[in-house]
Amino acid sequence: MEDENSVLTRRNLLRIGWVSIIASGLLSLWPLSQYLTSSEDSLQSDIITLKISPLIGNQWYHIENTRVWLKRAGQGYAAILATCTHLGCEVAYNSSQQKWFCPCHGSVYNAEGTPIAGPAPRDLARVAVKAVNDTLIVNIGKVVGMDRQIL
Amino acid sequence: MTQKRTQENFLWHIRARQVPARALSVVYTFCLGGISFLAFVVLAVTGVLLMFHYQPGYSDGYHSVLNLASVIPYGAVLRNLHYWAGQIMVITVALHMVRVVWTQSYRPPRELNWVVGVSLLVITIILDFSGYLLRGSQESGAAATVAVHILQLVPGIGVGLAAAFFGHPTALSGSTLMIYVWHCVALPSVAFYLQGYHFWRVRKDGGIKPL
Amino acid sequence: MDKVPGRKLWSKEGLVVIFSLAIGILLSLLLQAPVGTSPQAPLLAHAVAPWIFGPVQIALLYLPPWLGAVLLPLAALACLTALPWLGKLGGRRLALGSFAAVGIIIGVLLLWFMGREYWWH
């Protein structure tokens, strides 16, 4: 039945089929991973602007719907990110105890954001903040040192 | 024709005319695998029904869960059934594993089916976790954030894996479209096929033999 | 090996299905599934993990994340997967022993979690 000299024997055809299925599967891995990991539809700006409010005093003040807390510091302002340095949970400032508390694994930071208890390894991040006329501009993408927080 | 033959073969294996007497003994299996499968079926049915009213998203997730739990007729019972079936499934799957170890049912020729069972356990746990995230509460946001950070610790693939599975959950709500699709479509489909294979192998490997 | 007609198994399975469904429906009529805290509510001071992940939450309190939440769970999973081959190597004792070791560690962490979050308050 089968022609011995033909390239397209049943066995060869099957082998070509398998190889092409595996090859196309492997080739689709990269596009698939790009498709699944894309965040193009959820890009967010790092810049937060808000009007200077008298509520921002010497205690940390939470900017709604962000992770940024602000306070007056010297002549300017300081901005801190309420993201736990352990595993990223959102920490909250308790103004009566003057401490930051993480809900997830019990890390505690002092008012300046330095860890004093729990598994947190580093200080809470300070980010750049700048006052322009009556507006505050916070750049949460720009982490600054504690000495350079006041702009 | 061949399609039909395979289906018949599959069903003959799953629903054999004759079964080993030992399989009838409740104290041998404690029906744990069967109850796990029953829970899976209940979860699939109630899950599809919940999808008609659930909306994934930062605040939509939590609000639709509240609506289901309070104002939608029978929504609360359906959600409770989905929740309790999920809790029971995790427990019965774990106990089923303990039973299999105790009766040494992992021994050759059943190594492959044991590995399939371990992957089903992992999928069950991921399904439980993603369902918890879809609740969209603050606790779920914290859990999602922690899970993302942990996954990102895995060298090489961690960051991509976290983005592909979780999308971008906030610290205050774990409900995202990505998790929704994994929880409702992708993972249950994989679990369904693995379970079919698992049951077929149980019969093929000789049902339940005496020790 | 004794063989019995399959329908005897089916009728037993049917009974178990009815019994389990009855228990499930009873549970869901009596006990409300929790909904958690709204994302619009004030920030939580303390977030408790679902009980199934309690062991991980406890491990993360005392161990670095790469160890407590990546390496140890993966090691436990590898141990479970390898059980048939552990059995081939060292017999029932080794298999049962390693399974029990994994189970006891998870069990202790779970009890620790339950005690910390629910029982001793």
Side-chain angles (χ1 to χ4, degrees):
Chain A
M1 286 280 275
E2 274 178 27
D3 181 3
E4 293 292 326
N5 300 320
S6 169
V7 187
L8 286 180
T9 56
R10 192 184 155 84
R11 175 180 296 185
N12 274 351
L13 256 177
L14 269 176
R15 190 176 293 160
I16 291 170
W18 275 117
V19 168
S20 52
I21 287 174
I22 293 171
S24 52
L26 288 176
L27 279 176
S28 65
L29 277 182
W30 174 251
L32 192 66
S33 71
Q34 291 296 297
Y35 176 80
L36 285 176
T37 56
S38 170
S39 59
E40 293 295 324
D41 52 356
S42 60
L43 287 181
Q44 281 187 336
S45 168
D46 280 348
I47 307 292
I48 296 163
T49 55
L50 69 152
K51 288 264 175 289
I52 290 178
S53 142
L55 288 171
I56 307 172
N58 296 323
Q59 290 275 16
W60 292 109
Y61 172 77
H62 187 201
I63 314 300
E64 291 262 325
N65 299 322
T66 71
R67 290 208 189 180
V68 177
W69 296 59
L70 291 169
K71 74 170 178 179
R72 285 192 160 278
Q75 299 300 306
Y77 294 87
I80 197 165
L81 274 192
T83 297
C84 187
T85 52
H86 179 223
L87 288 169
C89 292
E90 184 157 348
V91 296
Y93 187 65
N94 184 323
S95 52
S96 58
Q97 293 185 57
Q98 306 221 331
K99 279 175 194 152
W100 298 89
F101 291 93
C102 178
C104 290
H105 305 100
S107 293
V108 183
Y109 303 80
N110 68 16
E112 290 308 304
T114 304
I116 51 178
R122 289 185 307 279
D123 289 1
L124 293 175
R126 302 290 182 116
V127 291
V129 54
K130 193 171 170 181
V132 179
N133 301 326
D134 61 342
T135 310
L136 283 177
I137 303 168
V138 182
N139 183 355
I140 59 171
K142 190 179 173 193
V143 177
V144 296
M146 222 184 270
D147 47 338
R148 284 182 52 228
Q149 64 197 265
I150 306 145
L151 290 172
Chain B
M1 185 63 194
T2 27
Q3 180 69 20
K4 210 176 165 208
R5 271 306 285 262
T6 2
Q7 279 174 3
E8 276 175 0
N9 278 343
F10 182 78
L11 285 180
W12 269 137
H13 268 299
I14 296 279
R15 301 280 57 169
R17 278 255 174 86
Q18 300 240 306
V19 291
R22 210 52 199 262
L24 267 176
S25 160
V26 174
V27 271
Y28 190 79
T29 66
F30 295 99
C31 306
L32 288 165
I35 294 174
S36 306
F37 178 64
L38 177 67
F40 182 79
V41 172
V42 170
L43 284 163
V45 174
T46 54
V48 168
L49 290 172
L50 288 174
M51 283 170 80
F52 287 114
H53 280 286
Y54 180 81
Q55 285 260 326
Y58 169 69
S59 58
D60 291 344
Y62 188 76
H63 285 143
S64 53
V65 166
L66 278 193
N67 282 341
L68 273 165
S70 55
V71 291
I72 293 164
Y74 304 102
V77 180
L78 276 177
R79 200 179 85 87
N80 293 347
L81 201 53
H82 195 73
Y83 175 80
W84 288 113
Q87 305 290 301
I88 287 171
M89 185 172 171
V90 173
I91 297 171
T92 52
V93 163
L95 290 178
H96 173 63
M97 188 179 218
V98 173
R99 192 281 291 173
V100 167
V101 171
W102 185 250
T103 59
Q104 289 187 285
S105 306
Y106 54 80
R107 280 188 304 182
R110 301 200 182 87
E111 305 103 311
L112 178 63
N113 215 16
W114 167 263
V115 175
V116 171
V118 173
S119 23
L120 278 167
L121 170 77
V122 172
I123 293 178
T124 306
I125 291 173
I126 300 175
L127 277 169
D128 180 278
F129 187 62
S130 51
Y132 177 77
L133 298 188
L134 287 177
R135 202 183 279 167
S137 63
Q138 274 194 45
E139 291 89 345
S140 79
T145 308
V146 168
V148 166
H149 277 77
I150 288 167
L151 212 51
Q152 285 173 344
L153 291 174
V154 179
I157 54 168
V159 175
L161 218 55
F165 187 76
F166 291 97
H168 297 273
T170 71
L172 299 181
S173 167
S175 173
T176 67
L177 189 59
M178 283 275 182
I179 298 172
Y180 183 60
V181 176
W182 284 111
H183 178 83
C184 301
V185 184
L187 288 174
S189 315
V190 177
F192 182 74
Y193 282 104
L194 279 181
Q195 281 177 80
Y197 185 72
H198 198 62
F199 305 154
W200 179 69
R201 285 276 351 159
V202 168
R203 301 287 182 226
K204 195 169 166 63
D205 292 338
I208 302 147
K209 278 185 189 146
L211 280 171
Chain C
M1 185 166 39
D2 292 341
K3 292 264 186 183
V4 289
R7 79 190 135 74
K8 280 204 172 173
L9 179 63
W10 304 359
S11 54
K12 258 191 187 171
E13 285 172 342
L15 281 178
V16 172
V17 167
I18 294 168
F19 182 69
S20 319
L21 279 181
I23 287 186
I25 291 170
L26 201 66
L27 264 179
S28 37
L29 287 174
L30 295 177
L31 298 170
Q32 297 296 317
V35 291
T37 315
S38 165
Q40 266 102 43
L43 288 181
L44 279 177
H46 184 55
V48 182
W51 67 268
I52 292 164
F53 296 90
V56 182
Q57 197 178 31
I58 291 295
L60 282 170
L61 287 178
Y62 303 99
L63 297 173
W66 61 267
L67 180 62
V70 182
L71 215 61
L72 287 185
L74 283 181
L77 193 62
C79 177
L80 284 185
T81 312
L83 211 67
W85 294 275
L86 286 178
K88 264 191 216 168
L89 271 176
R92 182 174 203 199
R93 248 196 161 162
L94 182 64
L96 204 59
S98 14
F99 183 76
V102 172
I104 286 170
I105 292 172
I106 294 175
V108 166
L109 287 174
L110 186 62
L111 285 177
W112 191 339
F113 167 81
M114 295 304 280
R116 190 187 151 93
E117 303 296 351
Y118 297 106
W119 297 335
W120 298 313
H121 261 243

